Amino acid sequence: MWRRLFSYLRPEWHWAITSMILTLAMTYISLLPPTLMQKVLDEAIPKKSVDLLVKLSMALLAIYLLSTLLSVLRTYLMSWLGQKILARMRMDLYAHLQRLSLSFYDSHRTGQLMSRITGDVGTMESFIVHSVQQLIVDLLTVGVIGYFLFRTDVPLALIGLAPAPIMFLMSIKYKDLVLPIYRRLRYAWGDLSSFLSDTLAGVRVVKVFNQEGQEVDRFWKKNKRIFDTNMRHVFLWSAFFPGMGLLGSISLVAIWLIGGRQVMEGTLSLGVLTMITLYLQRFYGPVHNLAHFNDIVQSTKASAERVFEILDTVPDVANSPDAVKPNKVRGHLIFRNVKFAYQDSKEPVLKGINLEIRPGEMLGIVGHSGAGKSTLAALIPRFYDVTDGIIELDRLDLRKWDLATLRSHIGMVLQDPYLFHATIKENLTYGKPDADMIQVMRAAKAANAHQFIMDLPDGYDTYVGERGIRLSGGQRQRISIGRALLKDPKILILDEATSSVDSESEYAIQQALDRLLKGRTTIAIAHRLSTLRKADKLIVLESGQIVEEGTHEELMAANGTYRRLVEIQTRMSESLSVLSEAR
Ligand code: ADP
């Protein structure tokens, strides 16, 4: 994992090395003052040499100036590197999320995914940008000070540095305690952000059911879990670091006692004792930082696991190495004994579908909800791959098609069309960004949308709001038909395209759809069977199997499920019209 994290540095290796050299130079220079101090105490003052004192002071000034300059350069360079790596990581993560198949999204909550891009990558920031540079400085400081101390006085160095190995063992133990806490914390954050995206998007439902209080309670529980987990960390942390500090201070006490006596006995100069004390004080700062670094490493590890889990997920639906890109598509679809089960359920949703839809034909799919109609339609653009059997387009297995080519020939109009937070024009041209205004208006007219668009304050430049919230259901539907028209696909999938709109818009939409269908292979799913009369062929699905197949007339004559459904709907619409007349 660390190697992977650092592999992000590779493209910038020369900058990484430059900043490393700056760091080494800066650390070394900043460690020189105590040796100057020793010279001041042992040479300049006893000899009363003002000249030497001035020279040493000027050297000290030069050291501070130089180390400040180096520090500015190094901080800038390393932060720039770190930010660049993080930006690339966020980019990789988002690009990979876009590649992943729908089955991945079925099993991951949006909020958890969002928190990985915004939160977890951010957590790694403090590691890559601040901690790694601090680690280099600290390791170097500890090494150089250790070297200076041993060079000066071996017994005193041994006494002074004795607590270091104990601290090292303590940090190893600390690491094991803190990693599970960080893992829990990152999960709790993801959970909170999932909860937020769910309840804020569903705010209308919350309000109409008077559940504001209930949702606040649920939020409090999740919020409290973050608080509790953080407090567990604080508990460990607040005891551990002062404990480490105490150990370091004890060695300083020993140096005072032993070194002080040596100075009294004349076996050690005052300057050397002062220098050793100054170095020791600077030694335990970095040791303390190193233990703290351990803490950040564990937090980074918990986050990196979550980020790499996404990057390591292989899309179920991907281009095969020998994928082909036929340049002409006729739109001839064949299902051969197609079976399909969703990833985490054992029960198959489709249980052996055999079906042929010729170029330009319209197939109507009828059946109770949950029968598998939408699932069948979702297999055509390869949102999911069949579990068994084959689907062919123009006699070529869908899995042999280049995925982008295949999808470029498929249009979908769904029950609840998704519009992006953008202008009407941008939504219309989503699949064809280079369309000019004439093409856009032609599509909007064919979709019966031009009129209402022109009535909007900014016409085609009107923002539709998040998910198109500023438009009515019927208007959104017509935009989505226009969007499909502009894409001009050979195959069209209509999944309950008219079921959530009122009769008036239904008429406008039906007209628009009729224009859209022309010359395209169409798979239409509808509850209102009247909209499927024109279909060349109808199938009735029941628990994943085709139980009836034929034209409207044939199925009416067969006197089966289809006829029963049609009769129920006719009776319902009759009683509805009687009701409205009585009113
Ligand atoms: P229909 O369109 O006929 O109403 P669907 O194809 O939507 O039926 O659903 C068929 C069955 O598959 C249902 O039992 C449903 O619960 C299940 N199902 C649908 N989508 C998923 C999914 N993403 N993951 C797991 N099961 C699903």
Side-chain angles (χ1 to χ4, degrees), residues 313-349:
T313 307
V314 181
D316 302 332
V317 176
N319 255 347
S320 81
D322 53 349
V324 288
K325 301 180 179 179
N327 40 23
K328 261 189 88 76
V329 177
R330 297 184 5 218
H332 186 191
L333 278 167
I334 301 177
F335 283 62
R336 295 185 198 279
N337 201 22
V338 167
K339 294 180 185 155
F340 178 76
Y342 282 102
Q343 217 169 33
D344 40 7
S345 67
K346 284 179 219 86
E347 184 69 13
V349 177

Side-chain angles (χ1 to χ4, degrees), residues 569-583:
Q569 288 199 350
T570 320
R571 265 206 304 280
M572 255 171 58
S573 62
E574 273 169 10
S575 42
L576 276 177
S577 58
V578 169
L579 263 177
S580 62
E581 269 167 34
R583 226 180 262 152

Side-chain angles (χ1 to χ4, degrees), residues 199 202-213 215:
T199 49
V203 68
R204 282 162 192 248
V205 183
V206 173
K207 286 192 181 300
V208 82
F209 284 97
N210 271 330
Q211 293 298 309
E212 293 97 327
E215 295 302 346

Side-chain angles (χ1 to χ4, degrees), residues 102-103 106 340-345 347-350 365-377 384 495-496 525 527 541:
L102 282 184
S103 58
D106 289 344
F340 178 76
Y342 282 102
Q343 217 169 33
D344 40 7
S345 67
E347 184 69 13
V349 177
L350 299 176
I365 309 181
V366 177
H368 295 290
S369 92
K373 306 182 293 291
S374 303
T375 305
L376 191 151
Y384 304 92
D495 193 348
E496 306 276 12
I525 301 170
H527 263 113
L541 267 191

Side-chain angles (χ1 to χ4, degrees), residues 524-544:
I525 301 170
H527 263 113
R528 279 183 227 176
L529 303 178
S530 53
T531 56
L532 296 179
R533 288 253 163 96
K534 287 181 292 297
D536 299 288
K537 183 159 60 177
L538 287 156
I539 57 169
V540 179
L541 267 191
E542 240 170 58
S543 354

Side-chain angles (χ1 to χ4, degrees), residues 213-230:
Q214 166 97 1
E215 295 302 346
V216 170
D217 287 347
R218 284 176 59 201
F219 183 83
W220 166 242
K221 285 202 187 95
K222 293 182 192 294
N223 196 14
K224 182 153 186 317
R225 188 157 67 165
I226 292 178
F227 175 81
D228 289 342
T229 317
N230 265 323

